[in-house]
Amino acid sequence: MAPHDGLFIDESSIVHTLEHARAADAAAVRDVLAKARQLGGLEAADMAVLMNVSDPGLLAELFSTAERVKDTIYGRRLVLFAPLYVSNLCANECTYCAFRARNTSLVRRALSQEEIAREIRTLIDQGHKRVLLVAGESYPKQGFQYVLDCIDTIYGVKNGPGEVRRVNANVAPLTLDEFRELKARKIGTYQLFQETYHHQTYAAVHLGGKKRDYAWRVTAMDRAMEAGIDDVGIGVLFGLFDWRFELLALMQHIRHLEAAFGVGPHTISVPRLEPATGSDLASHPPHAVGDVDFRKIVAILRLAVPYTGIIMSTRESANIRRETFALGVSQISAGSRTNPGGYAEDERLDASQFCLGDHRSLDEVVRDVASLGYIPSFCTGCYRLGRTGADFMDLAKPGDIKQHCDPNGLSTFLEYLLDYATPETRQVGDRCIAQALEGMDEWPRARSRQLMERVRAGERDVYC
Ligand code: SAM
Ligand code: SF4
């Protein structure tokens, strides 16, 4: 596969599609919603039609269609993870981020392997099974080997009945060889956000370091996939430029990956800019996205790429997070800290990347999610059975994934309840499991019961 130069982002066609959709009426919106209900996804022109919806009645139709699609494909599961910030050293100058090189008010730190192991023991003690490794773009003297060592350390920690079963990574774009090394470390998803796909804005907010190179960043997923990492996660940092433009550009990125590698991204992240120390831009986003538009973003993505996971982080408040679960979110972080060392030590704002919107512990989030009727899942089954990339999509597309995910979700939730939950959460969780079983088809219900029996008998890490 020849290296790509990022020319798959065509700004003029995006502008044209957005302009063309301005004339769309209610009938056009309903046509797009009817198409979305077929679960085959949407094209850019369809998405642009939905972006214009402002009438409260039509907006309610958009949201209820997204809820229906989400429920059909994903059911009631929500996968939980924690970010692990290993280092806030950074050579770049992203004007929105507290980690940027010239921010002198930040306390800099790269965790040692012993400190990482301590963080991981704390996360395991809380009940986490999935970790997203995050770092600034500058490593201690070992260079990129530092990241590889961190992954080995994380997988190597065992603590009581638990361990981290899947490490995802959000680190700066790598070379093909480095991606091969990352793949050999058995990471789950490689995640990287373009921040903004708009070239001019990209240049204006990235003032120094390697990240100034738009093409190097936008082609990172090509190199990752070429290196055999078939689970990749993309995203946009909302607030830097017009969200409508960004969604259509994101779609061009997805179509490019599908055409080049036969499979699109495994996940899409939708971070909104949050205040960060030493950044005026972060407190005054030039294209701030309001809450209604934010919900529209989630709903439109759910309809456009129904089989791609959507990740909601703790940047958002508990309320916004709750609202977006129904609209399409499939993965959430919980109990997060964005300062290196923040789990085993205290949360320190002078070492954090940005301010969080949801400060609740994992136990509180699990209780809340379960009381809303969602199944908090700690499942890592697909990845461990090699059901990734195109294999995952083949299984996901006809809706078959529910046959595996529901039983795996319930059995890992039960593990959590037995090993880590407070008595209150355990009560809410037991009720949630009973309700979920009632609503299931016969085969997955029998499968779930079998798996949960094994967990009750003392087995751990069971999946189908
Ligand atoms: N340093 C690597 C990079 O920039 O890709 C990876 C880690 S970076 C810490 C992870 C993400 O945090 C960035 O891609 C960006 O989208 C997000 N981020 C940075 N500043 C933020 C802010 N003020 N509010 C919300 N998210 C922010
Ligand atoms: Fe560094 Fe990433 Fe923050 Fe940019 S977003 S300053 S690259 S940590």
Side-chain angles (χ1 to χ4, degrees):
M1 169 87 35
H4 296 282
D5 54 11
L7 288 179
F8 48 84
I9 301 298
D10 175 356
E11 295 195 354
S12 59
S13 106
I14 295 175
V15 172
H16 178 263
T17 307
L18 289 173
E19 264 168 24
H20 190 73
R22 287 226 175 88
D25 58 10
V29 171
R30 292 204 173 97
D31 283 350
V32 172
L33 294 179
K35 179 176 175 183
R37 280 193 287 273
Q38 306 300 310
L39 308 182
L42 298 177
E43 294 306 322
D46 304 321
M47 294 166 76
V49 165
L50 298 183
M51 289 171 189
N52 285 328
V53 172
S54 58
D55 168 77
L58 272 184
L59 206 53
E61 284 179 49
L62 165 62
F63 291 154
S64 65
T65 308
E67 285 181 22
R68 188 160 139 185
V69 168
K70 155 88 199 282
D71 198 52
T72 308
I73 292 174
Y74 292 87
R76 305 292 290 176
R77 278 169 298 104
L78 274 178
V79 171
L80 286 144
F81 71 95
L84 177 73
Y85 280 71
V86 294
S87 159
N88 60 13
L89 311 184
C90 196
N92 291 328
E93 192 55 29
C94 311
T95 49
Y96 45 81
C97 179
F99 292 177
R100 69 192 169 81
R102 292 204 289 265
N103 182 12
T104 49
S105 58
L106 196 78
V107 178
R108 302 282 170 176
R109 180 172 183 193
L111 299 183
S112 67
Q113 298 306 319
E114 291 70 33
E115 287 170 328
I116 289 169
R118 200 164 53 146
E119 290 282 276
I120 290 299
R121 279 193 290 276
T122 309
L123 286 172
I124 294 172
D125 268 342
Q126 292 172 7
H128 279 292
K129 300 283 188 282
R130 285 174 172 244
V131 161
L132 171 69
L133 184 154
V134 187
E137 187 165 0
S138 170
Y139 305 117
K141 59 180 185 320
Q142 308 89 315
F144 176 63
Q145 182 63 37
Y146 173 72
V147 172
L148 302 176
D149 292 345
C150 293
I151 297 170
D152 288 346
T153 299
I154 298 170
Y155 277 134
V157 176
K158 298 274 177 277
N159 193 15
E163 69 272 295
V164 170
R165 297 175 187 158
R166 174 169 172 143
V167 181
N168 298 332
N170 184 327
V171 295
L174 305 172
T175 63
L176 191 56
D177 282 343
E178 287 170 334
F179 272 124
R180 288 198 177 109
E181 292 186 86
L182 200 61
K183 161 87 181 162
R185 269 358 196 246
K186 302 206 179 318
I187 63 151
T189 306
Y190 171 71
Q191 195 184 75
L192 186 77
F193 312 147
Q194 186 61 23
E195 322 295 13
T196 172
Y197 285 94
H198 188 249
H199 287 78
Q200 202 186 327
T201 306
Y202 190 93
V205 298
H206 298 113
L207 299 182
K210 208 166 174 186
K211 194 160 166 182
R212 281 181 60 74
D213 188 342
Y214 179 109
W216 177 247
R217 194 169 181 91
V218 86
T219 53
M221 296 315 182
D222 295 83
R223 294 189 297 281
M225 285 198 167
E226 220 169 314
I229 298 178
D230 52 6
D231 271 11
V232 299
I234 61 176
V236 163
L237 183 54
F238 288 102
L240 296 175
F241 190 61
D242 182 2
W243 64 268
R244 299 164 187 86
F245 177 98
E246 303 289 15
L247 277 197
L248 294 195
L250 198 75
M251 205 59 199
Q252 289 185 343
H253 197 173
I254 293 170
R255 292 291 182 245
H256 161 72
L257 294 174
E258 286 172 347
F261 301 97
V263 61
H266 187 63
T267 57
I268 298 175
S269 296
V270 291
R272 273 196 291 190
L273 264 181
E274 295 298 328
T277 56
S279 167
D280 272 351
L281 183 81
S283 302
H284 305 98
H287 292 265
V289 174
D291 289 350
V292 174
D293 281 345
F294 190 59
R295 288 159 67 210
K296 269 163 82 171
I297 288 173
V298 174
I300 292 170
L301 282 174
R302 181 68 302 136
L303 300 180
V305 279
Y307 304 97
T308 304
I310 299 180
I311 302 182
M312 184 66 55
S313 77
T314 50
R315 288 173 181 85
E316 299 297 335
S317 68
N319 270 339
I320 289 286
R321 275 153 58 89
R322 282 188 200 106
E323 282 175 3
T324 56
F325 296 163
L327 294 174
V329 166
S330 55
Q331 290 191 29
I332 59 169
S333 48
S336 307
R337 298 281 183 274
T338 67
N339 59 313
Y343 293 110
E345 304 160 17
D346 279 341
E347 184 174 2
R348 289 183 57 159
L349 275 182
D350 60 359
S352 299
Q353 195 196 10
F354 47 78
C355 301
L356 297 174
D358 183 349
H359 292 268
R360 295 171 301 165
S361 67
L362 175 63
D363 189 75
E364 288 169 296
V365 173
V366 166
R367 194 183 326 141
D368 187 37
V369 163
S371 65
L372 292 169
Y374 294 97
I375 305 164
S377 169
F378 295 86
C379 176
T380 53
C382 276
Y383 153 71
R384 306 173 90 233
L385 287 165
R387 271 194 313 246
T388 58
D391 289 345
F392 173 83
M393 286 299 169
D394 285 349
L395 194 70
K397 282 193 171 153
D400 284 358
I401 199 76
K402 272 168 93 174
Q403 309 281 326
H404 296 273
C405 296
D406 284 348
N408 289 342
L410 285 178
S411 66
T412 53
F413 182 31
L414 182 63
E415 269 193 46
Y416 174 84
L417 293 176
L418 295 175
D419 295 340
Y420 304 103
T422 56
E424 274 169 286
T425 302
R426 172 93 189 260
Q427 247 184 18
V428 174
D430 286 342
R431 266 203 311 271
C432 169
I433 290 179
Q435 269 168 12
L437 283 172
E438 261 175 45
M440 276 170 137
D441 292 340
E442 203 174 315
W443 190 86
R445 181 164 52 221
R447 242 323 163 55
S448 303
R449 288 208 164 110
Q450 280 165 7
L451 289 183
M452 286 195 289
E453 265 326 299
R454 288 168 59 190
V455 171
R456 281 204 183 86
E459 254 189 274
R460 291 292 174 266
D461 198 14
V462 296
Y463 45 84
C464 61

